[in-house]
Short mmCIF file of all heavy atoms in Angstrom, two decimals:
data_model
loop_
_atom_site.label_atom_id
_atom_site.label_comp_id
_atom_site.label_asym_id
_atom_site.label_seq_id
_atom_site.Cartn_x
_atom_site.Cartn_y
_atom_site.Cartn_z
N HIS A 10 -100.84 -151.03 234.16
CA HIS A 10 -101.51 -151.85 235.17
C HIS A 10 -103.01 -151.93 234.86
O HIS A 10 -103.63 -152.98 235.09
CB HIS A 10 -101.28 -151.25 236.57
CG HIS A 10 -99.96 -151.63 237.18
ND1 HIS A 10 -99.76 -152.80 237.85
CD2 HIS A 10 -98.77 -150.97 237.18
CE1 HIS A 10 -98.50 -152.87 238.27
NE2 HIS A 10 -97.88 -151.76 237.87
N GLY A 11 -103.56 -150.85 234.35
CA GLY A 11 -104.96 -150.87 233.96
C GLY A 11 -105.20 -151.81 232.80
O GLY A 11 -106.21 -152.54 232.77
N ARG A 12 -104.27 -151.80 231.85
CA ARG A 12 -104.39 -152.71 230.70
C ARG A 12 -104.30 -154.17 231.13
O ARG A 12 -105.03 -155.04 230.63
CB ARG A 12 -103.28 -152.39 229.68
CG ARG A 12 -103.50 -151.10 228.92
CD ARG A 12 -102.30 -150.74 228.07
NE ARG A 12 -101.99 -151.81 227.08
CZ ARG A 12 -100.95 -151.75 226.24
NH1 ARG A 12 -100.15 -150.68 226.27
NH2 ARG A 12 -100.73 -152.73 225.39
N PHE A 13 -103.43 -154.45 232.09
CA PHE A 13 -103.31 -155.82 232.57
C PHE A 13 -104.58 -156.26 233.30
O PHE A 13 -105.06 -157.39 233.12
CB PHE A 13 -102.11 -155.94 233.52
CG PHE A 13 -102.06 -157.26 234.25
CD1 PHE A 13 -101.81 -158.44 233.57
CD2 PHE A 13 -102.29 -157.32 235.62
CE1 PHE A 13 -101.78 -159.66 234.24
CE2 PHE A 13 -102.26 -158.54 236.29
CZ PHE A 13 -102.00 -159.72 235.60
N LYS A 14 -105.14 -155.34 234.07
CA LYS A 14 -106.37 -155.67 234.79
C LYS A 14 -107.51 -155.97 233.82
O LYS A 14 -108.26 -156.93 234.00
CB LYS A 14 -106.75 -154.50 235.71
CG LYS A 14 -107.93 -154.78 236.61
CD LYS A 14 -108.18 -153.62 237.55
CE LYS A 14 -109.34 -153.92 238.49
NZ LYS A 14 -109.60 -152.79 239.44
N ASN A 15 -107.62 -155.14 232.78
CA ASN A 15 -108.66 -155.38 231.77
C ASN A 15 -108.42 -156.69 231.02
O ASN A 15 -109.37 -157.43 230.71
CB ASN A 15 -108.70 -154.21 230.77
CG ASN A 15 -109.19 -152.94 231.42
OD1 ASN A 15 -109.93 -152.98 232.42
ND2 ASN A 15 -108.81 -151.80 230.86
N TRP A 16 -107.16 -156.97 230.71
CA TRP A 16 -106.82 -158.23 230.03
C TRP A 16 -107.18 -159.43 230.89
O TRP A 16 -107.72 -160.43 230.39
CB TRP A 16 -105.33 -158.23 229.70
CG TRP A 16 -104.82 -159.52 229.13
CD1 TRP A 16 -104.87 -159.91 227.82
CD2 TRP A 16 -104.22 -160.60 229.85
NE1 TRP A 16 -104.32 -161.16 227.67
CE2 TRP A 16 -103.91 -161.62 228.90
CE3 TRP A 16 -103.90 -160.81 231.19
CZ2 TRP A 16 -103.30 -162.82 229.27
CZ3 TRP A 16 -103.30 -162.00 231.55
CH2 TRP A 16 -103.01 -163.00 230.60
N SER A 17 -106.89 -159.33 232.21
CA SER A 17 -107.20 -160.42 233.12
C SER A 17 -108.71 -160.68 233.18
O SER A 17 -109.17 -161.84 233.16
CB SER A 17 -106.67 -160.10 234.53
OG SER A 17 -105.27 -159.99 234.53
N LYS A 18 -109.48 -159.61 233.24
CA LYS A 18 -110.94 -159.76 233.28
C LYS A 18 -111.44 -160.41 232.00
O LYS A 18 -112.33 -161.27 232.03
CB LYS A 18 -111.60 -158.39 233.46
CG LYS A 18 -111.43 -157.78 234.84
CD LYS A 18 -112.14 -156.44 234.92
CE LYS A 18 -112.01 -155.82 236.31
NZ LYS A 18 -112.68 -154.51 236.39
N GLU A 19 -110.87 -159.99 230.87
CA GLU A 19 -111.29 -160.54 229.58
C GLU A 19 -110.95 -162.02 229.48
O GLU A 19 -111.74 -162.82 228.93
CB GLU A 19 -110.62 -159.76 228.45
CG GLU A 19 -111.06 -160.17 227.06
CD GLU A 19 -112.53 -159.86 226.79
OE1 GLU A 19 -113.15 -159.09 227.56
OE2 GLU A 19 -113.06 -160.41 225.79
N GLN A 20 -109.79 -162.40 230.00
CA GLN A 20 -109.40 -163.81 229.99
C GLN A 20 -110.39 -164.67 230.76
O GLN A 20 -110.78 -165.77 230.31
CB GLN A 20 -108.00 -163.97 230.60
CG GLN A 20 -106.88 -163.42 229.75
CD GLN A 20 -106.66 -164.23 228.49
OE1 GLN A 20 -106.33 -165.43 228.55
NE2 GLN A 20 -106.85 -163.60 227.33
N MET A 21 -110.84 -164.19 231.89
CA MET A 21 -111.79 -164.94 232.70
C MET A 21 -113.18 -164.89 232.08
O MET A 21 -113.91 -165.89 232.04
CB MET A 21 -111.83 -164.39 234.13
CG MET A 21 -112.71 -165.22 235.08
SD MET A 21 -112.67 -164.62 236.78
CE MET A 21 -113.46 -163.02 236.62
N ARG A 22 -113.57 -163.72 231.54
CA ARG A 22 -114.91 -163.55 230.98
C ARG A 22 -115.14 -164.46 229.77
O ARG A 22 -116.23 -164.97 229.54
CB ARG A 22 -115.11 -162.09 230.58
CG ARG A 22 -116.56 -161.75 230.18
CD ARG A 22 -116.66 -160.33 229.68
NE ARG A 22 -115.99 -160.18 228.39
CZ ARG A 22 -116.52 -160.53 227.22
NH1 ARG A 22 -117.72 -161.08 227.17
NH2 ARG A 22 -115.84 -160.35 226.10
N THR A 23 -114.07 -164.66 228.99
CA THR A 23 -114.20 -165.48 227.78
C THR A 23 -113.94 -166.96 228.04
O THR A 23 -113.90 -167.77 227.10
CB THR A 23 -113.22 -164.98 226.70
OG1 THR A 23 -111.88 -165.03 227.22
CG2 THR A 23 -113.55 -163.57 226.27
N GLY A 24 -113.73 -167.30 229.32
CA GLY A 24 -113.56 -168.70 229.67
C GLY A 24 -112.19 -169.27 229.38
O GLY A 24 -112.01 -170.49 229.36
N GLU A 25 -111.21 -168.41 229.15
CA GLU A 25 -109.85 -168.89 228.90
C GLU A 25 -109.22 -169.44 230.18
O GLU A 25 -108.37 -170.34 230.13
CB GLU A 25 -108.99 -167.75 228.34
CG GLU A 25 -109.45 -167.21 227.00
CD GLU A 25 -109.32 -168.26 225.91
OE1 GLU A 25 -108.39 -169.09 225.99
OE2 GLU A 25 -110.15 -168.24 224.97
N VAL A 26 -109.62 -168.85 231.32
CA VAL A 26 -109.08 -169.29 232.61
C VAL A 26 -110.22 -169.30 233.62
O VAL A 26 -111.22 -168.59 233.46
CB VAL A 26 -107.96 -168.34 233.10
CG1 VAL A 26 -106.71 -168.46 232.23
CG2 VAL A 26 -108.45 -166.90 233.12
N PRO A 27 -110.10 -170.12 234.71
CA PRO A 27 -111.17 -170.20 235.69
C PRO A 27 -111.22 -169.00 236.63
O PRO A 27 -112.24 -168.75 237.27
CB PRO A 27 -110.86 -171.49 236.45
CG PRO A 27 -109.38 -171.62 236.34
CD PRO A 27 -109.04 -171.12 234.96
N GLU A 28 -110.14 -168.27 236.72
CA GLU A 28 -110.09 -167.08 237.58
C GLU A 28 -109.12 -166.08 236.97
O GLU A 28 -108.33 -166.42 236.09
CB GLU A 28 -109.63 -167.45 239.00
CG GLU A 28 -108.26 -168.10 239.05
CD GLU A 28 -107.86 -168.50 240.45
OE1 GLU A 28 -108.73 -168.58 241.33
OE2 GLU A 28 -106.64 -168.75 240.65
N MET A 29 -109.21 -164.82 237.45
CA MET A 29 -108.36 -163.77 236.87
C MET A 29 -106.89 -164.10 237.05
O MET A 29 -106.43 -164.32 238.18
CB MET A 29 -108.68 -162.41 237.51
CG MET A 29 -110.03 -161.84 237.11
SD MET A 29 -110.40 -160.25 237.91
CE MET A 29 -109.03 -159.27 237.32
N PRO A 30 -106.10 -164.16 235.98
CA PRO A 30 -104.67 -164.49 236.08
C PRO A 30 -103.87 -163.36 236.74
O PRO A 30 -104.21 -162.19 236.65
CB PRO A 30 -104.25 -164.66 234.61
CG PRO A 30 -105.22 -163.85 233.84
CD PRO A 30 -106.52 -163.96 234.58
N LYS A 31 -102.83 -163.78 237.45
CA LYS A 31 -101.95 -162.82 238.11
C LYS A 31 -100.62 -162.66 237.38
O LYS A 31 -99.84 -161.77 237.68
CB LYS A 31 -101.70 -163.26 239.55
CG LYS A 31 -102.96 -163.28 240.41
CD LYS A 31 -102.63 -163.70 241.84
CE LYS A 31 -103.90 -163.72 242.69
NZ LYS A 31 -103.63 -164.14 244.10
N THR A 32 -100.37 -163.53 236.43
CA THR A 32 -99.13 -163.46 235.65
C THR A 32 -99.35 -162.61 234.40
O THR A 32 -100.28 -162.84 233.64
CB THR A 32 -98.68 -164.87 235.24
OG1 THR A 32 -98.49 -165.67 236.41
CG2 THR A 32 -97.38 -164.80 234.45
N TRP A 33 -98.45 -161.66 234.20
CA TRP A 33 -98.57 -160.76 233.05
C TRP A 33 -98.17 -161.47 231.77
O TRP A 33 -97.21 -162.26 231.76
CB TRP A 33 -97.65 -159.56 233.26
CG TRP A 33 -98.12 -158.57 234.29
CD1 TRP A 33 -98.42 -158.82 235.59
CD2 TRP A 33 -98.30 -157.17 234.10
NE1 TRP A 33 -98.79 -157.68 236.24
CE2 TRP A 33 -98.73 -156.63 235.35
CE3 TRP A 33 -98.16 -156.31 233.02
CZ2 TRP A 33 -99.00 -155.28 235.53
CZ3 TRP A 33 -98.43 -154.95 233.20
CH2 TRP A 33 -98.86 -154.46 234.44
N PRO A 34 -98.87 -161.17 230.67
CA PRO A 34 -98.44 -161.71 229.38
C PRO A 34 -97.11 -161.08 229.00
O PRO A 34 -96.84 -159.92 229.31
CB PRO A 34 -99.57 -161.28 228.43
CG PRO A 34 -100.19 -160.09 229.09
CD PRO A 34 -100.08 -160.34 230.56
N THR A 35 -96.26 -161.85 228.31
CA THR A 35 -94.88 -161.41 228.02
C THR A 35 -94.77 -160.02 227.38
O THR A 35 -93.99 -159.18 227.85
CB THR A 35 -94.17 -162.46 227.14
OG1 THR A 35 -94.14 -163.71 227.84
CG2 THR A 35 -92.75 -162.03 226.82
N PRO A 36 -95.50 -159.70 226.31
CA PRO A 36 -95.34 -158.37 225.69
C PRO A 36 -95.66 -157.23 226.67
O PRO A 36 -94.94 -156.22 226.71
CB PRO A 36 -96.34 -158.40 224.53
CG PRO A 36 -96.52 -159.86 224.23
CD PRO A 36 -96.45 -160.54 225.56
N LEU A 37 -96.73 -157.42 227.43
CA LEU A 37 -97.12 -156.37 228.38
C LEU A 37 -96.14 -156.29 229.54
O LEU A 37 -95.81 -155.20 230.03
CB LEU A 37 -98.54 -156.66 228.90
CG LEU A 37 -99.32 -155.47 229.46
CD1 LEU A 37 -99.46 -154.37 228.42
CD2 LEU A 37 -100.70 -155.93 229.94
N LEU A 38 -95.64 -157.44 229.99
CA LEU A 38 -94.67 -157.47 231.08
C LEU A 38 -93.39 -156.77 230.67
O LEU A 38 -92.82 -155.98 231.44
CB LEU A 38 -94.37 -158.92 231.46
CG LEU A 38 -93.25 -159.11 232.51
CD1 LEU A 38 -93.63 -158.44 233.82
CD2 LEU A 38 -92.97 -160.59 232.72
N GLU A 39 -92.90 -157.05 229.47
CA GLU A 39 -91.66 -156.41 229.02
C GLU A 39 -91.82 -154.90 228.91
O GLU A 39 -90.91 -154.15 229.26
CB GLU A 39 -91.25 -157.01 227.67
CG GLU A 39 -90.78 -158.46 227.76
CD GLU A 39 -90.28 -158.98 226.43
OE1 GLU A 39 -90.47 -158.28 225.41
OE2 GLU A 39 -89.69 -160.09 226.42
N LEU A 40 -92.97 -154.47 228.45
CA LEU A 40 -93.22 -153.03 228.35
C LEU A 40 -93.25 -152.40 229.74
O LEU A 40 -92.72 -151.31 229.95
CB LEU A 40 -94.56 -152.80 227.63
CG LEU A 40 -94.91 -151.35 227.28
CD1 LEU A 40 -93.80 -150.72 226.43
CD2 LEU A 40 -96.24 -151.30 226.54
N ARG A 41 -93.85 -153.11 230.72
CA ARG A 41 -93.89 -152.61 232.10
C ARG A 41 -92.49 -152.53 232.69
O ARG A 41 -92.12 -151.53 233.33
CB ARG A 41 -94.75 -153.53 232.95
CG ARG A 41 -95.04 -152.98 234.35
CD ARG A 41 -95.50 -154.07 235.30
NE ARG A 41 -94.36 -154.79 235.84
CZ ARG A 41 -94.45 -155.96 236.48
NH1 ARG A 41 -95.64 -156.56 236.60
NH2 ARG A 41 -93.38 -156.54 236.97
N LEU A 42 -91.69 -153.57 232.48
CA LEU A 42 -90.33 -153.60 233.03
C LEU A 42 -89.46 -152.48 232.47
O LEU A 42 -88.69 -151.85 233.19
CB LEU A 42 -89.69 -154.96 232.74
CG LEU A 42 -90.29 -156.15 233.51
CD1 LEU A 42 -89.72 -157.47 232.96
CD2 LEU A 42 -90.03 -156.03 235.01
N LYS A 43 -89.58 -152.23 231.16
CA LYS A 43 -88.82 -151.14 230.55
C LYS A 43 -89.24 -149.79 231.10
O LYS A 43 -88.41 -148.91 231.36
CB LYS A 43 -89.01 -151.17 229.02
CG LYS A 43 -88.36 -152.36 228.35
CD LYS A 43 -88.64 -152.37 226.85
CE LYS A 43 -88.02 -153.58 226.17
NZ LYS A 43 -88.31 -153.63 224.71
N THR A 44 -90.55 -149.62 231.28
CA THR A 44 -91.07 -148.36 231.82
C THR A 44 -90.60 -148.16 233.26
O THR A 44 -90.20 -147.06 233.65
CB THR A 44 -92.62 -148.35 231.77
OG1 THR A 44 -93.05 -148.56 230.42
CG2 THR A 44 -93.17 -147.03 232.29
N GLU A 45 -90.63 -149.22 234.04
CA GLU A 45 -90.16 -149.14 235.43
C GLU A 45 -88.68 -148.79 235.50
O GLU A 45 -88.26 -147.99 236.34
CB GLU A 45 -90.42 -150.48 236.14
CG GLU A 45 -91.87 -150.76 236.43
CD GLU A 45 -92.10 -152.14 237.00
OE1 GLU A 45 -91.27 -153.05 236.73
OE2 GLU A 45 -93.12 -152.34 237.68
N ALA A 46 -87.90 -149.41 234.62
CA ALA A 46 -86.46 -149.16 234.62
C ALA A 46 -86.14 -147.70 234.30
O ALA A 46 -85.35 -147.05 234.99
CB ALA A 46 -85.78 -150.08 233.60
N ILE A 47 -86.78 -147.18 233.27
CA ILE A 47 -86.52 -145.79 232.88
C ILE A 47 -87.02 -144.84 233.96
O ILE A 47 -86.36 -143.84 234.29
CB ILE A 47 -87.19 -145.48 231.53
CG1 ILE A 47 -86.56 -146.35 230.44
CG2 ILE A 47 -87.03 -144.00 231.17
CD1 ILE A 47 -87.24 -146.25 229.09
N LEU A 48 -88.17 -145.14 234.55
CA LEU A 48 -88.69 -144.32 235.64
C LEU A 48 -87.71 -144.30 236.81
O LEU A 48 -87.44 -143.24 237.38
CB LEU A 48 -90.05 -144.87 236.11
CG LEU A 48 -90.61 -144.26 237.41
CD1 LEU A 48 -90.81 -142.76 237.26
CD2 LEU A 48 -91.92 -144.96 237.78
N ASP A 49 -87.16 -145.45 237.15
CA ASP A 49 -86.23 -145.53 238.28
C ASP A 49 -84.96 -144.71 238.02
O ASP A 49 -84.43 -144.07 238.93
CB ASP A 49 -85.87 -146.99 238.56
CG ASP A 49 -87.05 -147.78 239.11
OD1 ASP A 49 -88.04 -147.14 239.50
OD2 ASP A 49 -86.96 -149.02 239.16
N VAL A 50 -84.48 -144.71 236.77
CA VAL A 50 -83.30 -143.91 236.44
C VAL A 50 -83.64 -142.42 236.48
O VAL A 50 -82.84 -141.61 236.97
CB VAL A 50 -82.75 -144.30 235.05
CG1 VAL A 50 -81.63 -143.34 234.62
CG2 VAL A 50 -82.23 -145.73 235.08
N ARG A 51 -84.83 -142.04 236.00
CA ARG A 51 -85.23 -140.64 236.05
C ARG A 51 -85.33 -140.15 237.51
O ARG A 51 -84.94 -139.04 237.84
CB ARG A 51 -86.58 -140.45 235.36
CG ARG A 51 -86.64 -140.77 233.88
CD ARG A 51 -85.84 -139.78 233.02
NE ARG A 51 -84.47 -140.20 232.83
CZ ARG A 51 -84.05 -140.99 231.87
NH1 ARG A 51 -84.89 -141.48 230.98
NH2 ARG A 51 -82.77 -141.29 231.76
N VAL A 52 -85.86 -141.01 238.40
CA VAL A 52 -85.94 -140.66 239.83
C VAL A 52 -84.55 -140.49 240.41
O VAL A 52 -84.28 -139.59 241.19
CB VAL A 52 -86.72 -141.75 240.61
CG1 VAL A 52 -86.59 -141.53 242.11
CG2 VAL A 52 -88.19 -141.74 240.20
#
């Protein structure tokens, strides 16, 4: 989540987008989903 927040700030800072994006980039999203799934099974 920290990496996504930093990525969002960088996207806006470099003028790629007019405001901080809320949609996760695919590689980071897939990594988050896998981590969440394994965490849920461990719980």
Side-chain angles (χ1 to χ4, degrees):
H10 278 276
R12 287 172 59 182
F13 170 68
K14 186 176 181 180
N15 292 335
W16 174 84
S17 297
K18 288 181 179 179
E19 184 65 14
Q20 290 291 298
M21 186 177 66
R22 189 186 69 80
T23 58
E25 297 295 328
V26 291
E28 60 182 16
M29 289 179 60
K31 296 181 180 179
T32 302
W33 287 55
T35 300
L37 202 58
L38 174 62
E39 290 185 350
L40 188 56
R41 190 198 82 194
L42 291 171
K43 291 177 181 178
T44 303
E45 288 174 334
I47 297 174
L48 170 60
D49 291 347
V50 173
R51 298 291 90 87
V52 170

